Amino acid sequence: MPPKFSLQPVLDYRHRRVEAMEIELGRMMREKNRAEEKLRSFFTRQHEVLEEIRIVQEGDLDIQRIRQLYNGLRNLQKMIDNQKIILTEMMQRIEEKRKKIVNARQDEETLEILKDKEEERILVEENRKENALRDDIYIAQAYHKSQNLEQQS
């Protein structure tokens, strides 16, 4: 059994860090989906208000009602604009988080490669020592055999 990898605590920490970042990314994606749904509902409401304005303008004009609808439409447009800004910022944060996850995974993979190389180096060294011991045993056996043959002659 090879000795424990000296940087195993660092590798474990980086693995936990990647997992935590992935969980955070998932939470951010859910928030983004909710924000997109909210934006879609604003657009739906905007379409409804525009249709209502169209209907109100067909018959007898109710100026007060038309003004209310246009004010509501302006407020709705502000809400849409704000929601678009929020979504843009969310998407930027999500992209930054993705980049951090990629970098963190690369760091983790670098340590994994280092660990694998260290294990391979230890295995090669153990095999070399084992072969050297085996050679010593064969040499000793051959020496003893030759000594026994000399003594018998």
Side-chain angles (χ1 to χ4, degrees):
M1 185 170 118
K4 188 175 180 194
F5 181 54
S6 62
L7 295 175
Q8 188 63 45
V10 176
L11 181 59
D12 293 341
Y13 167 77
R14 289 193 176 167
H15 181 70
R16 286 189 306 272
R17 187 170 149 237
V18 167
E19 286 178 341
M21 292 169 87
E22 287 172 340
I23 290 169
E24 177 68 13
L25 179 62
R27 185 191 63 73
M28 292 170 76
M29 293 297 291
R30 283 189 303 278
E31 284 181 25
K32 181 182 129 312
N33 289 341
R34 283 193 292 268
E36 287 173 338
E37 183 59 38
K38 190 174 184 179
L39 183 61
R40 279 191 292 275
S41 71
F42 288 156
F43 281 128
T44 301
R45 180 66 187 132
Q46 182 185 40
H47 178 72
E48 291 168 354
V49 170
L50 287 170
E51 183 62 22
E52 194 173 342
I53 288 172
R54 187 190 63 76
I55 291 170
V56 169
Q57 288 178 341
E58 284 181 354
D60 292 333
L61 294 181
D62 182 355
I63 300 297
Q64 184 63 22
R65 180 72 182 136
I66 292 173
R67 244 187 243 145
Q68 287 175 338
L69 289 171
Y70 273 110
N71 285 336
L73 190 60
R74 271 193 300 278
N75 289 336
L76 195 54
Q77 187 58 50
K78 288 177 187 176
M79 291 167 58
I80 288 171
D81 293 342
N82 286 337
Q83 195 65 22
K84 284 180 179 179
I85 291 169
I86 289 169
L87 262 171
T88 301
E89 290 171 355
M90 282 182 166
M91 288 166 46
Q92 288 172 347
R93 286 195 311 270
I94 287 171
E95 189 56 35
E96 288 170 10
K97 183 62 75 174
R98 279 190 178 130
K99 288 177 183 176
K100 286 181 182 179
I101 289 173
V102 167
N103 288 335
R105 278 188 186 150
Q106 287 174 344
D107 290 346
E108 181 183 13
E109 287 173 11
T110 300
L111 278 179
E112 283 287 348
I113 290 169
L114 186 62
K115 178 182 177 180
D116 292 344
K117 285 185 178 185
E118 178 70 13
E119 288 174 355
E120 183 180 339
R121 185 194 62 76
I122 289 171
L123 241 145
V124 166
E125 180 63 23
E126 286 176 354
N127 284 338
R128 187 196 61 76
K129 286 179 182 178
E130 189 176 300
N131 288 337
L133 284 173
R134 193 176 296 122
D135 289 347
D136 288 347
I137 291 170
Y138 291 147
I139 290 170
Q141 287 175 344
Y143 177 74
H144 286 299
K145 203 178 221 182
S146 71
Q147 288 296 320
N148 285 341
L149 287 175
E150 279 182 24
Q151 288 176 354
Q152 289 176 356
S153 317

